[in-house]
Amino acid sequence: MDSDTLLARITDYENRPNPYPLYAELREAGPVVRQADGSYLIGTYHEIAALLHDPRMSADPRSRTAPSPSGETVKPPFLRLDDPEHHRLRTLAMRPFGPPHSPGRVDAMRGEISQLTEELMGAFHAGGQIDIVDDFAYPLPVTVICRLLGVPREDEPLFRAWSDALVASADVKPDEDSPEQDQTGNQARIEMGRYLVDLAEQRRGHPSDDLLSAFVNEPDPALRLTREDLAETAVLLLIAGHETTVNLITNGVLTLMRRPEHLDQLRREPDLLPQAVEELLRYEPPVHMRERIPHADIDVAGTTIPKGASVVLVLASGNRDPKRFHEPDRFDPTRPDNQHFGFGSGIHLCYGAPLARIEAQAALGALIPHLGTARLVQDPPPYRQNAMLRGPRHLPIQL
Amino acid sequence: MPGDLRDGRIVIVGASLAGLRAAETLREEGFSGSLTVVGDEPYPPYDRPPLSKQVLLGKASADTTTLPMRRDPDADWRLGAAATGLDPLEKRVMLADGESLPFDRLLIATGTRARPWPNPEEASLDGVFTLRTSDEAGGLAARLAAGPGRVLVIGAGFTGSEIASACRERGIEVTVAERGPAPLVGALGGTLSKLAAVMQRNHGVDLRCGVTVTALRGDGNGRFIGADLSDGSRVEADVCVVALGAVRNVEWLAESGLAAGPRGVACDAGCRAFNMYGIVTDDVFVAGDVSRFPHPLFGYQMLSLEHWGNAVAQAEVAAHNMVSPGPLRRPHLAVPTFWSTQFGLNIKSVGVPTYSDHVVIAQGSLEARRLAMVYGFQGRVTAAVTVDMAKSLDYYEHLIETAAPFPPPPGAADRAIAADIPIPSDVPDPSGLSHGPTVALTGHLPDRRLTVVQPTR
């Protein structure tokens, strides 16, 4: 098979349930595999790690030599900006969320998160059928991020549509960047940004205990986000705050349902749960790929990648690289050395990782006692379209 | 296995980080013989970095920094027992209590101690401290908690600067006296030392550079009340911390015939000690701060490092080699790294900054207090120091390991204009510093004088 069409095959919906054989093929052909569309795929652990820490690699889509058909020129959120602007915005966004200015903020949500999982499970009854995605794995993180940001939960249908459009336009696709999809995505981003800024504005002078309030009521003018930056940052936090965690929880349930021995092990040893979540982040991560663009011609394992080229780092493949992990295709909740790319690495290392960990631990911890007698209704389940944020669209199980 | 290296008697002298990690590694590698660990302090192995940070801030007490064990090394711990001598022929370690321990293989991991104030009478004044051990940290922390009017810190190396930072964070007035031109200059060179000086002054430190302390003064009842400086000025203070660097604990090896001196115990890349003729021993190994070893990335010069990471990595290599036959032995080639937090800055270093002739600011800027400074020697990258930019360190480590050309290639998004302008690294002669260097190049370079031992005053 041609390795220069690997990205096309990876993104082919047909292969969504199990892209891992393609990742093995990628590592075999790699470390650097040029694609027919001029982009480069990298799927080996050590090369990915080096590039994620390489200050010459840009996260900004505007660094591409060939811009996308829609001619994206607006300033992206900090996830796709480079230092020093990335650092400035990320630091400002972090102030009300985590250390050093808000230590304990996320940890203090543990009780609330457990209560939410209990409420969601209250609707389950023995013998009934549920959809892990719609009934549990989606509502949990959405509710949590809404409370944290200060977004009314009842607006969920509104931002769900925007979120879907945005995430679809941000997917990695070879050759077929459709201007329509990009246009829809941009439109959604603008509308969602406007909506969140309006919400924030309502809290100016009337702060409550949420991030939007903190952003607009920051007393130091030097630490205030501009309206434009607030819009982009709030959109990013709302979307990143739930689009990934839903996959982490769902992938976790699916993985455990397929492996009754590990399900049983975790029921007997709940203390293993934090380690098991780390293993899930390695074995079935929610984020499979990230794009980077070199600011200069760079040499990677003997191949020169030209400045401005699109480089797709296949994080989920790096997580299964046998040169880094012993028996990488084995799910092992007790794996001792597990420095995975589940949250990326380098300066863009996932900002919400502590929250995602707590949510996944709480969700799986609560579900595990109910899964022993449950069975998968459909295996593999139907997957979401997205190849970059990969996870089941539905996961029906019979309790 | 030939000679059954996994059996027999191993003695480790030194019960701190290197000694503990070596003991654990010996067991991990299958050593089943008898293992004795000798330590002169009465405490089980503890971690030192928190002593100049959290402990002085009152966030942890000095007795809570015990090092976690990765596994029980199943050792006979001889704590509170100082080693006083080594008989290499009889293969025995002599202890202060008169006992002697026979061994088949020995690991020397005796580390360093704080360099004391040279005048013993002044050093014994109440209120005068050094900071190296848990006891010293506990005593100093108690004194800081009591709210002194002013603290005098002598020496602005890493330890001195961290102490000053902790004092300011607690709202305590502090004067720092440094013989060199700026804080940290001996470790980081001239450019970053300017940032360090600005940070200290911005945080309210009374920083005096280019001066020495000529005398510590007592009140006549044995209490420290201040000091005289070489510029004729006087500092009134209730507490004095002497941060003049470290002395290697090698005195007990004076009669051993090993190549042990003020710069440490010389060994090969496999941690085997040299004797005084430069002949490698078969059964005596060295690890941690007390060692002095050749490193290929730095011209095979002998390096002495006082770095946490080096103690761990070298102990693991030494332990592996103690139980492995020749062809399976490994070299200790880890790239030196260290970190420090002070005045709100996170400083991390990789490579050997003093092994340099030029530097560039590759990313960020001094003004932003966030930067990556890259050091080069004769056209290749030999070190990098980041300030609040630690995530870039891996990249620079790779440049050092591959002897990449200096200055480093362009392309960083936050590359400063300064990245194109190499300036002299301005690493001073260590003899001009109050404190000893935490990295000492102890070999010989004809065009540099980095081998001078700190003269006693």
Side-chain angles (χ1 to χ4, degrees):
Chain A
M1 283 263 222
D2 289 343
S3 54
D4 63 358
T5 56
L6 263 169
L7 184 57
R9 285 187 287 142
I10 289 167
T11 54
D12 183 350
Y13 185 69
E14 191 91 338
N15 292 313
R16 201 73 74 249
N18 186 13
Y20 294 102
L22 290 171
Y23 295 162
E25 209 180 301
L26 167 64
R27 292 189 301 267
E28 201 62 31
V32 180
V33 184
R34 190 172 191 275
Q35 298 298 286
D37 69 349
S39 64
Y40 292 80
L41 270 187
I42 296 177
T44 45
Y45 184 93
H46 295 289
E47 281 71 23
I48 292 172
L51 291 174
L52 286 172
H53 286 92
D54 191 326
R56 296 169 301 167
M57 295 299 280
S58 171
D60 191 330
R62 296 170 299 177
S63 307
R64 273 187 223 128
T65 316
S68 69
S70 63
E72 191 171 13
T73 50
V74 261
K75 184 171 145 190
F78 68 77
L79 173 73
R80 300 225 58 181
L81 284 177
D82 299 330
D83 279 351
E85 188 60 356
H86 156 264
H87 179 74
R88 185 181 74 85
L89 289 172
R90 180 181 164 116
T91 308
L92 294 186
M94 196 66 169
R95 283 178 72 86
F97 179 77
H101 302 284
S102 311
R105 173 79 184 245
V106 170
D107 209 49
M109 295 186 74
R110 274 178 197 276
E112 206 174 329
I113 292 169
S114 305
Q115 197 191 330
L116 274 169
T117 56
E118 291 306 320
E119 283 169 22
L120 289 168
M121 288 198 314
F124 297 2
H125 12 245
Q129 184 175 322
I130 54 159
D131 178 4
I132 288 291
V133 178
D134 285 348
D135 298 330
F136 191 82
Y138 181 77
L140 175 65
V142 166
T143 309
V144 171
I145 194 68
C146 281
R147 286 197 190 165
L148 188 62
L149 264 181
V151 171
R153 180 65 174 83
E154 50 283 11
D155 287 354
E156 188 265 341
L158 192 64
F159 67 70
R160 186 174 198 169
W162 288 325
S163 183
D164 286 346
L166 251 169
V167 169
S169 74
D171 197 9
V172 173
K173 296 172 295 287
D175 264 346
E176 49 177 276
D177 264 328
S178 94
E180 296 76 34
Q181 206 167 32
D182 280 354
Q183 190 49 44
T184 318
N186 269 339
Q187 190 57 33
R189 197 163 116 188
I190 290 164
E191 287 174 20
M192 192 170 184
R194 199 174 293 147
Y195 158 80
L196 287 166
V197 168
D198 285 347
L199 274 181
E201 284 304 330
Q202 292 165 21
R203 309 226 163 78
R204 192 184 290 275
H206 316 277
S208 47
D209 183 30
D210 56 60
L211 300 192
L212 290 179
S213 290
F215 291 146
V216 289
N217 293 297
E218 168 59 50
D220 183 346
L223 300 175
R224 242 175 256 154
L225 291 161
T226 64
R227 196 184 161 87
E228 185 198 10
D229 289 335
L230 174 62
E232 286 296 351
T233 301
V235 167
L236 173 65
L237 296 184
L238 181 53
I239 292 182
H242 72 277
E243 286 287 352
T244 47
T245 317
V246 53
N247 289 344
L248 178 57
I249 296 170
T250 312
N251 289 338
V253 172
L254 180 59
T255 301
L256 292 175
M257 295 286 289
R258 284 172 174 171
R259 284 169 192 74
E261 73 280 13
H262 289 126
L263 186 60
D264 197 48
Q265 182 185 17
L266 287 171
R267 196 172 29 235
R268 283 182 284 108
E269 302 170 61
D271 288 351
L272 270 183
L273 206 53
Q275 251 183 294
V277 168
E278 294 312 301
E279 176 68 345
L280 269 175
L281 283 157
R282 184 194 70 82
Y283 184 80
E284 283 281 16
V287 180
H288 274 228
M289 290 171 257
R290 296 303 298 154
E291 188 202 28
R292 291 288 186 272
I293 301 118
H295 271 312
D297 292 357
I298 61 162
D299 178 271
V300 178
T303 303
T304 301
I305 301 180
K307 174 181 176 173
S310 173
V311 181
V312 178
L313 305 176
V314 189
L315 307 177
S317 169
N319 279 349
R320 300 264 193 128
D321 187 343
K323 287 201 177 117
R324 174 61 182 83
F325 295 106
H326 180 62
E327 293 187 71
D329 291 319
R330 197 163 66 85
F331 177 76
D332 174 7
T334 63
R335 191 176 286 276
D337 169 31
N338 203 350
Q339 203 165 17
H340 55 72
F341 295 132
F343 292 122
S345 189
I347 61 170
H348 291 280
L349 179 74
C350 178
Y351 162 112
L355 180 60
R357 284 189 164 108
I358 289 176
E359 290 184 74
Q361 289 165 15
L364 293 175
L367 283 175
I368 282 168
H370 300 271
L371 298 180
T373 54
R375 86 187 160 74
L376 289 171
V377 174
Q378 205 182 348
D379 191 9
Y383 271 78
R384 303 169 71 177
Q385 187 58 46
N386 209 296
M388 192 180 77
L389 295 177
R390 174 181 166 272
R393 173 60 196 97
H394 295 288
L395 185 63
I397 63 169
Q398 188 80 41
L399 287 172
Chain B
M1 189 169 277
D4 201 6
L5 291 168
R6 293 190 186 177
D7 204 0
R9 297 161 300 183
I10 289 183
V11 171
I12 297 175
V13 183
S16 191
L17 181 61
L20 173 64
R21 291 294 179 249
E24 291 167 346
T25 308
L26 284 170
R27 294 303 188 197
E28 270 158 31
E29 302 242 351
F31 177 67
S32 58
S34 88
L35 179 58
T36 305
V37 184
V38 178
D40 61 348
E41 289 181 72
Y43 310 114
Y46 59 85
D47 209 16
R48 296 182 199 275
L51 298 180
S52 58
K53 303 175 179 80
Q54 290 87 341
V55 171
L56 292 193
L57 288 172
K59 291 178 179 169
S61 77
D63 54 9
T64 57
T65 75
T66 303
L67 279 165
M69 287 194 188
R70 299 199 290 219
R71 59 170 292 147
D72 182 356
D74 188 20
D76 179 16
W77 294 90
R78 306 295 291 268
L79 300 176
T84 52
L86 164 64
D87 181 338
L89 216 52
E90 291 291 315
K91 298 178 87 163
R92 301 182 87 87
V93 171
M94 277 73 85
L95 300 185
D97 61 10
E99 207 189 328
S100 76
L101 302 170
F103 64 83
D104 297 306
R105 275 150 291 155
L106 170 70
L107 178 66
I108 297 168
T110 40
T112 63
R113 62 183 184 276
R115 183 184 301 280
W117 183 246
N119 178 327
E121 201 176 318
E122 292 173 7
S124 66
L125 288 170
D126 179 36
V128 176
F129 291 87
T130 53
L131 178 57
R132 175 76 191 171
T133 67
S134 170
D135 282 346
E136 289 164 347
L140 178 57
R143 206 56 78 93
L144 295 186
R150 178 171 293 275
V151 174
L152 169 66
V153 178
I154 307 176
F158 279 101
T159 304
S161 298
E162 287 180 8
I163 294 164
S165 174
C167 288
R168 289 309 300 144
E169 204 169 317
R170 300 186 73 153
I172 301 168
E173 296 298 325
V174 58
T175 296
V176 173
E178 163 61 46
R179 176 151 77 179
L184 308 180
V185 65
L188 305 178
T191 305
L192 276 181
S193 73
K194 290 190 183 83
L195 176 63
V198 168
M199 292 305 290
Q200 295 212 359
R201 293 200 167 109
N202 283 352
H203 281 81
V205 173
D206 170 29
L207 176 64
R208 319 269 188 101
C209 294
V211 295
T212 54
V213 173
T214 52
L216 304 184
R217 292 185 299 114
D219 65 354
N221 294 317
R223 280 187 67 89
F224 171 77
I225 55 162
D228 297 333
L229 305 190
S230 57
D231 61 1
S233 62
R234 278 195 168 184
V235 174
E236 287 180 15
D238 320 306
V239 175
C240 173
V241 191
V242 178
L244 295 178
V247 180
R248 295 188 153 71
N249 292 317
V250 293
E251 291 79 359
W252 67 285
L253 297 168
E255 307 295 317
S256 67
L258 292 179
R263 301 168 196 163
V265 184
C267 62
D268 72 358
C271 310
R272 296 181 298 178
F274 290 141
N275 73 11
M276 57 197 271
Y277 304 116
I279 300 171
V280 75
T281 56
D282 296 323
D283 41 28
V284 181
F285 293 73
V286 197
D289 291 11
V290 75
S291 76
R292 193 181 153 222
F293 61 97
H295 203 303
L297 284 175
F298 309 102
Y300 284 101
Q301 278 206 71
M302 303 296 273
L303 285 187
S304 294
L305 303 176
E306 295 168 35
H307 299 164
W308 197 94
N310 184 66
V312 172
Q314 198 175 16
E316 287 171 355
V317 171
H320 170 85
N321 291 346
M322 290 176 90
V323 294
S324 304
L328 296 183
R329 285 179 179 163
R330 296 200 302 251
H332 170 57
L333 301 177
V335 183
T337 58
F338 75 88
W339 78 96
S340 172
T341 50
Q342 46 182 284
F343 302 104
L345 295 181
N346 173 289
I347 300 172
K348 286 197 169 182
S349 161
V350 60
V352 178
T354 46
Y355 189 75
S356 65
D357 46 30
H358 285 80
V359 295
V360 288
I361 296 175
Q363 290 177 259
S365 69
L366 290 166
E367 291 74 19
R369 315 261 189 272
R370 188 174 135 78
L371 68 138
M373 176 158 280
V374 177
Y375 295 69
F377 183 63
Q378 297 182 350
R380 68 182 174 89
V381 175
T382 51
V385 176
T386 60
V387 177
D388 279 2
M389 202 183 264
K391 296 246 168 64
S392 291
L393 217 59
D394 283 1
Y395 170 69
Y396 294 112
E397 179 167 353
H398 182 72
L399 295 186
I400 297 164
E401 282 171 335
T402 53
F406 176 89
D414 53 349
R415 178 180 158 90
I417 297 171
D420 291 322
I421 312 164
I423 56 174
S425 64
D426 192 13
V427 177
D429 186 325
S431 65
L433 305 173
S434 295
H435 52 89
T438 55
V439 182
L441 297 156
T442 68
H444 179 67
L445 277 182
D447 57 333
R448 295 164 63 74
R449 294 186 62 232
L450 289 174
T451 62
V452 179
V453 182
Q454 172 80 15
T456 46
R457 275 175 281 171

